[in-house]
Amino acid sequence: MKLYDYVLSGNCYKVRLLASLLGLQYETVPIDFYPGRQHKEEWFLELNPLGQLPIIKDNGIIVRDAQAILLYVANCYDADKKWWPSTDAKQLGQVAQWLAFADQITSTASAARLHDMLGYPVDVETARRDAHQIFTVLEDHLVERELEKGEWIVGSNPTIADIACFPYTALAGDGGIDTSIYPAMLRWHRRVMSLPGFIDMPGINSIQ
């Protein structure tokens, strides 16, 4: 498998993290996202016309979009079918809902981070406000799960729902978003970071 990767991208990190948790070997193709903007060059747009990372190539198959890649990798390489519980219709639907939720995290918390770190022209106050609304939903869900003795977003073990939602909630401070007001989310962060095979990235390796 070949991963087109940018080390500071939370979406690329999702793929690296799942691969590490699965013990999966892969080749990395570094992309100069900023300031080089390689993701907008013609050769890259032939791989993904949207000009977005990450992308993987695997056995002649090209998969774009972080959540889609998580689905693909879990289906192909998780022999125990724990990360994507495809044999359990209820959990499958719940995981899929949280994959969609992860896109909302990206459009808010990640947008604020791009503004603060790379100077992207984003309405940062709106992005931060909307991120807090999204984080409140996640916080309430995690509190409810803890009351049910559950440690993960869905089910009794971590799934790709956790992988999808983790990075940009953990990196939110880079975008000026205070996460100290979400104690259940921070406890969940620590559970994710304690998983065997966990790897960090810049901005996450400093989380307590």
Side-chain angles (χ1 to χ4, degrees):
M1 188 176 78
K2 183 182 294 187
L3 168 64
Y4 293 79
D5 183 47
Y6 178 57
V7 69
L8 295 179
S9 164
N11 276 332
C12 292
Y13 169 66
K14 294 175 188 181
V15 182
R16 300 196 305 269
L17 177 56
L18 180 59
S20 180
L21 293 169
L22 291 173
L24 178 63
Q25 300 296 313
Y26 62 95
E27 176 187 352
T28 298
V29 181
I31 300 298
D32 186 356
F33 179 86
Y34 182 86
R37 293 180 60 81
Q38 277 189 305
H39 61 299
K40 299 301 182 183
E41 294 182 2
E42 183 176 349
W43 70 269
F44 188 93
L45 294 174
E46 291 178 0
L47 295 172
N48 185 356
L50 296 177
Q52 297 173 346
L53 289 165
I55 302 170
I56 64 166
K57 277 186 178 181
D58 187 48
N59 296 318
I61 298 170
I62 296 175
V63 186
R64 307 183 287 259
D65 181 83
Q67 275 63 260
I69 294 171
L70 294 180
L71 280 170
Y72 174 86
V73 170
N75 268 286
C76 290
Y77 297 105
D78 176 18
D80 296 328
K81 301 302 179 187
K82 291 182 178 179
W83 291 97
W84 173 240
S86 56
T87 59
D88 185 319
K90 178 181 177 180
Q91 286 196 13
L92 185 151
Q94 290 173 337
V95 170
Q97 288 176 5
W98 286 98
L99 295 182
F101 186 86
D103 285 331
Q104 299 300 310
I105 298 173
T106 301
S107 66
T108 58
S110 175
R113 180 172 177 262
L114 285 172
H115 174 276
D116 284 13
M117 291 187 64
L118 303 182
Y120 269 55
V122 170
D123 182 349
V124 69
E125 294 306 322
T126 297
R128 290 171 183 153
R129 180 199 66 205
D130 292 348
H132 278 297
Q133 292 176 348
I134 294 295
F135 286 9
T136 298
V137 173
L138 178 58
E139 175 75 6
D140 290 346
H141 175 74
L142 290 169
V143 168
E144 183 177 343
R145 292 287 294 135
E146 289 180 344
L147 290 173
E148 298 169 346
K149 308 302 181 184
E151 296 186 321
W152 308 105
I153 290 178
V154 175
S156 59
N157 57 266
T159 67
I160 56 174
D162 297 282
I163 303 303
C165 293
F166 173 73
Y168 286 124
T169 59
L171 292 165
D174 289 344
I177 299 167
D178 179 14
T179 58
S180 66
I181 59 176
Y182 305 108
M185 188 173 78
L186 296 180
R187 289 192 294 271
W188 167 68
H189 284 170
R190 290 191 287 271
R191 290 194 289 272
V192 173
M193 295 176 73
S194 69
L195 290 170
F198 176 84
I199 55 171
D200 58 28
M201 66 167 282
I204 288 180
N205 56 8
S206 62
I207 293 177
Q208 300 300 317

